Amino acid sequence: MRRSTKVHPFQPPGSQLDSYPEKSTYCVKYLMFFMNVVFWFVSCLILAIAAYAMVEKQEIYGKISRMTTDPAAILLGIGIIMFIISFTGCLGALRENTCLLKFYYFSLAFMLLLEITAAILGYVYSGRVKTEMHNAFTKMIDNYLDDPDLQLIIDATQKELKCCGSEKYTDWERNVYYNCSSPSIESCGVPYSCCTTDEVNSQCGFGVLALSESEASEAIYTQGCLKGVEDWFRSNLLLMASIAACLPVLQLIGFCLARRFTNDINDVLAMQGRN
């Protein structure tokens, strides 16, 4: 007598797994589905924030020479990639579509490979990475007063890390508003976030670029933020290592679930072909 199998109550009609006897398959399917739903909602939130930020400051995009230093553009790119991959995982798991599942786990494998390669290259070429970070930060300094997102990021970084500029506080001479030859009120100054005082005083850094370093150190932080970032990473190495390991682990789990589910579907198709 042929053994009958009970169809899962949430199984869509005509599903390829209607005759599959293993309950673990359903666990794999719905675990993969709900995990990707979470990431899909997160990606939608990221896209909404990025789109709102870009709409709010669309008038200044003509002044920004490099979109790679625009936080909203970077956030938009991350959101699009997350949206495509997580949506493919959701739909592939729900409809048991092997083409979508293969695209999903190949995408995860490719992203994981990129992350591992970037980590290795970052370690091997640490000096070049530091140079590129310096170049990126100085570009952000150039556009500081033109982009409100950059203002928020730079001010938060300088306040939190107690630093000023990229390599040192004199990097602010690059900015056309803070340069000593500028006719603006900020001439020869630095942003308030460089100041050592906890009180919010927008003029506390005015004129410090005309002082000696010892005199300037009485009012502002003179250490650059690259050194501040390096010191922060060293003091929070365990925390950062744990966070850095979470994303590859989640990607690996998604990859394994998708591969397992694809193999289960192929087994069902093979069983149906023999019958």
Side-chain angles (χ1 to χ4, degrees):
M1 179 180 294
R2 185 178 179 182
R3 184 176 64 173
S4 62
T5 56
K6 185 177 180 181
V7 179
H8 194 276
F10 298 106
Q11 195 72 11
S15 169
Q16 295 175 358
L17 295 179
D18 280 353
S19 60
Y20 199 76
E22 293 188 10
K23 292 182 179 180
S24 61
T25 300
Y26 300 120
C27 295
V28 171
K29 172 178 178 174
Y30 289 107
L31 177 59
M32 180 181 166
F33 173 74
F34 287 115
M35 183 177 74
N36 281 282
V37 164
V38 173
F39 282 101
W40 182 75
F41 276 117
V42 171
S43 69
C44 289
L45 180 61
I46 291 174
L47 286 173
I49 295 173
Y52 175 78
M54 295 184 79
V55 169
E56 284 293 307
K57 62 177 189 178
Q58 57 183 332
E59 296 179 357
I60 70 169
Y61 276 119
K63 303 177 183 178
I64 299 177
S65 58
R66 292 180 61 183
M67 291 294 288
T68 52
T69 59
D70 179 30
I74 295 172
L75 205 61
L76 183 67
I78 294 173
I80 290 173
I81 293 173
M82 280 186 63
F83 181 90
I84 293 173
I85 295 177
S86 59
F87 183 75
T88 303
C90 288
L91 194 59
L94 189 63
R95 302 305 304 167
E96 299 162 12
N97 187 300
T98 54
C99 291
L100 291 176
L101 289 172
K102 287 179 181 179
F103 174 83
Y104 173 74
Y105 68 69
F106 275 124
S107 297
L108 288 182
F110 179 70
M111 295 296 294
L112 190 58
L113 182 62
L114 281 182
E115 290 162 12
I116 294 173
T117 304
I120 294 173
L121 292 178
Y123 178 77
V124 174
Y125 299 103
S126 56
R128 179 64 183 271
V129 171
K130 189 174 181 178
T131 301
E132 290 300 321
M133 288 178 62
H134 170 65
N135 293 337
F137 201 91
T138 51
K139 286 293 181 182
M140 293 170 71
I141 288 175
D142 292 343
N143 299 313
Y144 174 75
L145 289 178
D146 297 326
D147 190 335
D149 290 339
L150 289 181
Q151 286 187 45
L152 181 63
I153 292 174
I154 292 176
D155 287 338
T157 301
Q158 293 188 149
K159 269 297 181 185
E160 181 67 26
L161 300 180
K162 302 184 185 307
C163 59
C164 187
S166 178
E167 292 185 330
K168 60 185 308 184
Y169 73 102
T170 53
D171 289 331
W172 281 101
E173 291 183 11
R174 292 177 51 95
N175 189 283
V176 294
Y177 299 102
Y178 291 105
N179 189 280
C180 288
S181 60
S182 171
S184 67
I185 190 174
E186 296 93 351
S187 176
C188 265
V190 295
Y192 77 93
S193 54
C194 288
C195 298
T196 55
T197 178
D198 292 330
E199 297 179 3
V200 179
N201 180 359
S202 60
Q203 299 181 353
C204 62
F206 285 10
V208 296
L209 292 178
L211 304 176
S212 65
E213 184 171 348
S214 59
E215 291 174 325
S217 63
E218 297 178 3
I220 65 169
Y221 302 112
T222 55
Q223 176 182 270
C225 289
L226 290 183
K227 183 65 167 58
V229 169
E230 187 178 341
D231 292 341
W232 188 89
F233 268 94
R234 286 177 178 173
S235 60
N236 297 274
L237 190 59
L238 183 59
L239 174 64
M240 295 308 300
S242 301
I243 294 174
C246 284
L247 183 58
V249 168
L250 289 173
Q251 290 173 322
L252 188 59
I253 291 173
F255 175 84
C256 293
L257 290 174
R259 282 298 303 269
R260 166 66 190 275
F261 194 41
T262 303
N263 291 337
D264 289 346
I265 293 173
N266 289 332
D267 289 344
V268 170
L269 294 175
M271 289 168 57
Q272 291 175 348
R274 288 195 298 268
N275 294 335

